[in-house]
């Protein structure tokens, strides 16, 4: 039986785009879905994976995304929901492979959804990257 876990994260970061060139702040909300077969009642130790993922999220928090050296050239040029979901998908998948797959080889990163919001919480929309 496959089980899915949903983890939610938020961070504040600014960006600038060709349609709005002055840097401006956004609240970015993220939903990450993991799937796998439970081992000893869980697919992964939730506090451990949350802590590992929070480290990745923190590396973009409170930064100007267009100049963040951790983002690739494409994401720095156009830091959007689409490019950030791809960035987080790659980084979270690396974390799972390095730290968690040895404990449960059925564990998979199923999807990463990134929403762009105003600092007051109004959500403009989101992009969801799903493993095909």
């Amino acid at each position: 039986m496959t089980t899915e876990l949903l983890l939610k994260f938020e961070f504040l970061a600014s960006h600038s785009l060709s349609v709005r060139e002055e840097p401006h702040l956004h609240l970015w909300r993220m939903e990450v879905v993991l799937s796998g077969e439970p081992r000893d009642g869980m697919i992964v130790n939730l506090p451990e994976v949350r802590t590992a993922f929070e480290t990745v999220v923190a590396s973009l928090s409170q930064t100007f995304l267009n100049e963040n050296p951790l983002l690739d050239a494409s994401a720095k040029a156009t830091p959007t929901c689409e490019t950030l979901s791809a960035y987080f998908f790659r980084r979270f998948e690396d974390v799972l492979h390095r730290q968690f797959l040895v404990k449960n080889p059925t564990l998979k990163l199923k999807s990463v959804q990134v929403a762009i919001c105003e600092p007051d919480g109004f959500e403009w929309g989101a992009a969801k990257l799903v493993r095909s």
Side-chain angles (χ1 to χ4, degrees):
M1 177 175 10
T2 299
T3 301
E4 292 185 350
L5 271 179
L6 175 66
L7 294 97
K8 296 181 180 186
F9 302 92
E10 291 185 348
F11 66 100
L12 289 167
S14 59
H15 73 158
S16 126
L17 300 172
S18 61
V19 294
R20 186 171 170 198
E21 291 188 15
E22 69 280 352
H24 52 281
L25 185 67
H26 284 289
L27 171 65
W28 302 85
R29 289 189 176 132
M30 186 171 11
E31 292 187 4
V32 180
V33 178
L34 304 175
S35 67
E37 296 173 19
R39 304 278 168 104
D40 298 321
M42 63 180 98
I43 66 170
V44 68
N45 181 305
L46 193 54
E48 286 180 7
V49 77
R50 173 169 282 288
T51 298
F53 284 3
E54 283 174 345
T55 302
V56 175
V57 174
S59 68
L60 298 189
S61 184
Q62 301 297 329
T63 68
F64 179 50
L65 298 172
N66 299 76
E67 296 177 356
N68 189 306
L70 298 174
L71 295 175
D72 63 28
S74 161
K76 283 199 290 192
T78 314
T80 61
C81 298
E82 295 89 341
T83 59
L84 291 179
S85 61
Y87 168 79
F88 283 116
F89 199 100
R90 285 189 305 274
R91 292 289 310 274
F92 291 158
E93 198 159 61
D94 287 345
V95 168
L96 291 178
H97 283 289
R98 282 186 283 108
Q99 298 178 30
F100 297 97
L101 280 182
V102 72
K103 296 175 187 173
N104 185 348
T106 71
L107 182 63
K108 291 185 175 68
L109 177 59
K110 187 170 181 181
S111 65
V112 174
Q113 178 174 299
V114 176
I116 186 169
C117 308
E118 292 300 326
D120 67 4
F122 173 80
E123 184 176 315
W124 288 103
K128 184 175 185 178
L129 187 59
V130 180
R131 178 180 304 283
S132 52

